[in-house]
Amino acid sequence: DTGVSQDPRHKITKRGQNVTFRCDPISEHNRLYWYRQTLGQGPEFLTYFQNEAQLEKSRLLSDRFSAERPKGSFSTLEIQRTEQGDSAMYLCASSLVGHALPYEQYFGPGTRLTVT
Amino acid sequence: AQRVTQPEKLLSVFKGAPVELKCNYSYSGSPELFWYVQYSRQRLQLLLRHISRESIKGFTADLNKGETSFHLKKPFAQEEDSAMYYCALSSGGSNYKLTFGKGTLLTVNP
């Protein structure tokens, strides 16, 4: 297991198109998070899953965003009708909740989205 | 609402000099504080957490609840410490989501 992986690493799309990103967490991790990072900012929380259940969504996650984790393993984040303001680095992180605190989050390399 | 403030966007020191990266937070409960580091072309990774009271790569950080601070310190900086450093807070509860500061880019000059 080489850690959290994300695909694609870079995506350039035209405004109005739909895009989908994939995250594969560390295999035994039951918790999966999505963050978004724009230039000059730290990562901002978007949503998280406990196994296959999506338990919280940030107000940053508009109706155009949807995330799934269908079998409690990999997750997808889809953005419909992309806007230039969606251009950012999308980070995925996973952790194993249930062992000793604090629950360290392991981050993937990110998917850089550019909307033209 | 919880917030993390890193007042310095950039910090430049010479090799062998002490370094302190500042982090202040606002949170009404008992937070868990972390420092994450991102080296050039690498992913974000955990450097240290306050609950462990550990020293990693010579770095330490003490949680000061009175001053709501969690500054990161190292007595003698090395060139390989050059990186982006993020302070982060977890509010606990059941979501353990992280709230990050904007980061400080540390450059250690030879």
Side-chain angles (χ1 to χ4, degrees), chain B residues 24-91:
Chain B
N24 290 88
Y25 66 90
S26 84
Y27 180 62
S28 56
S30 293
E32 293 168 18
L33 274 296
F34 305 83
W35 276 98
Y36 277 80
V37 62
Q38 188 166 26
Y39 300 101
S40 179
R41 294 191 179 85
Q42 294 188 26
R43 64 185 66 191
L44 201 58
Q45 57 186 282
L46 179 67
L47 179 62
L48 55 79
R49 53 199 132 186
H50 91 269
I51 200 168
S52 302
R53 302 184 66 81
E54 57 200 346
S55 172
I56 303 292
K57 299 184 179 183
F59 284 98
T60 58
D62 291 319
L63 179 61
N64 185 323
K65 291 187 178 180
E67 296 183 357
T68 59
S69 69
F70 187 56
H71 302 326
L72 183 68
K73 300 177 184 179
K74 185 169 182 177
F76 307 104
Q78 302 299 314
E79 289 180 68
E80 55 265 30
D81 296 329
S82 297
M84 180 68 87
Y85 290 81
Y86 293 97
C87 183
L89 177 156
S90 172
S91 58

Side-chain angles (χ1 to χ4, degrees), chain A residues 1-40:
Chain A
D1 194 332
T2 55
V4 180
S5 61
Q6 292 186 245
D7 184 69
R9 297 289 304 276
H10 303 274
K11 179 71 178 177
I12 300 174
T13 191
K14 292 186 177 179
R15 190 177 56 187
Q17 297 294 304
N18 299 345
V19 294
T20 300
F21 311 140
R22 178 180 169 123
C23 170
D24 286 89
I26 294 172
S27 58
E28 66 270 22
H29 283 187
N30 51 14
R31 189 67 69 91
L32 188 148
Y33 299 82
W34 285 98
Y35 294 84
R36 181 172 69 186
Q37 186 174 20
T38 54
L39 203 60

